[in-house]
Amino acid sequence: MQAVLSFPDLSPEIFSISVFGLDFALRWYALAYIAGIVLGWRLVVALMRRDRIWAGARPPMRPEQVEELLTWIVLGVILGGRLGFVLFYKPFEYLQAPWEIPMLWHGGMSFHGGLLGVMIALVIFTRKQAIPLLPAADALALAVPIGLFFGRIANFINAELWGRPSDLPWAVVFPGPAAQYCPGWNSLPCARHPSQLYEAGLEGLLLGALLLWLALSRGALRTPGRIAGTFFTGYGLARFAVEFLRQPDAQFAGPGNPLGLALHWQGYGLTMGQLLSLPMIAFGLGLILHAARRRP
């Protein structure tokens, strides 16, 4: 018997109540979104009150403007995340049933789509408010790892987005027939990499700590674009690496592509997560180079 870990007895719901025959539940995933947005908002407000860390000792926004931006960010996350999932992962399925696109309670959000939605919202807001774009982007980049950390922990609690089969001592036996469907894997029950926790550690804790260190100890916020560029590059590299251990999306699997790679040739290729991370890495490196040229 292989030495692996059993999935902890966790429910996706924190609690549920029934009112007039209707069931209402607070889920860990919803709480993760709320915690990430609220804590990220408070961090950005705190940064706006520390004049000395910004170029010219001038923060890009007033604290009350951060509160106004919060509404735009929430809309960008929800609309971008949902539309990104529809377009990147299941376009043909939703083309046949477009009325299901707004049904967020059925699940299905894309981080890359949510990030694109936030970027669009930020551009519109900064133009309307005459706020410098790159310093504002740097501030938001410092807040995003908080949401990433909580979101990946919620993915683990929901027993979703698990990794590929593994016999490592920390591999987890996730519940459900989909998680236990491991063609060609001899060890039963099928244990998998807890890739959600890998991402929580890399994209959340490690990347967040690096960005805060650069901002507070290395003066990176005095060079607009440097923090945002580091975030894009760091997230893209972390996601690209973890995708080698994460189970690819089942909707891409088929004859000749049992693993579910989005781009493949003779059994080798890239997942959709890796394909979407490549432009992030390129964009992030471009921002870092742009910031270096403008460094005072």
Side-chain angles (χ1 to χ4, degrees), residues 1-6 166-173 187-189 191:
M1 183 71 177
Q2 58 177 338
V4 295
L5 302 176
S6 297
S166 171
D167 57 3
L168 290 170
W170 58 84
V172 176
V173 179
S187 299
L188 294 177

Side-chain angles (χ1 to χ4, degrees), residues 18 20 67 132 159 225 231-232 248 280 282 284 290:
S18 181
F20 300 115
E67 296 182 14
F231 166 76
F232 280 107
M280 283 190 67
H290 175 73

Side-chain angles (χ1 to χ4, degrees), residues 62-107:
R62 300 185 306 275
E64 57 268 25
Q65 288 179 306
V66 179
E67 296 182 14
E68 295 178 34
L69 176 59
L70 183 62
T71 301
W72 290 76
I73 296 302
V74 171
L75 289 174
V77 168
I78 296 175
L79 295 178
R82 183 58 172 174
L83 292 177
F85 178 79
V86 170
L87 295 174
F88 298 150
Y89 293 95
K90 294 186 176 183
F92 298 110
E93 291 186 26
Y94 284 102
L95 186 62
Q96 297 175 359
W99 56 87
E100 293 185 2
I101 294 177
M103 297 181 181
L104 296 175
W105 54 93
H106 289 171

Side-chain angles (χ1 to χ4, degrees), residues 229-243:
T230 303
F231 166 76
F232 280 107
T233 305
Y235 175 85
L237 290 173
R239 178 69 181 268
F240 193 93
V242 173
E243 285 284 323

Side-chain angles (χ1 to χ4, degrees), residues 11-41:
S11 171
E13 297 180 355
I14 302 174
F15 66 85
S16 62
I17 58 175
S18 181
V19 180
F20 300 115
L22 297 177
D23 294 327
F24 299 91
L26 177 62
R27 295 178 173 270
W28 288 105
Y29 202 71
L31 184 62
Y33 268 87
I34 295 170
I37 290 172
V38 171
L39 292 177
W41 162 50

Side-chain angles (χ1 to χ4, degrees), residues 40 43-44 47 54 73 115 118 122 133-148 203-204 207-212 215 221 225-232 235 287:
L43 173 62
V44 175
L47 293 172
W54 299 96
I73 296 302
L115 180 62
V118 169
L122 181 64
L133 176 59
L134 286 181
D138 287 337
L140 285 187
L142 285 162
V144 174
I146 299 174
L148 286 172
E203 304 164 5
L207 181 57
L210 172 63
L211 295 179
L212 284 174
L221 287 172
R226 185 179 171 193
I227 289 291
T230 303
F231 166 76
F232 280 107
Y235 175 85
L287 272 180

Side-chain angles (χ1 to χ4, degrees), residues 164 243-244 246-248 252-271 274:
R164 303 184 190 187
E243 285 284 323
F244 285 112
R246 177 172 159 174
Q247 184 71 25
F252 295 110
N257 183 24
L259 191 58
L261 300 172
L263 180 67
H264 67 98
W265 182 75
Q266 294 186 353
Y268 297 93
L270 299 175
T271 67
Q274 289 174 320

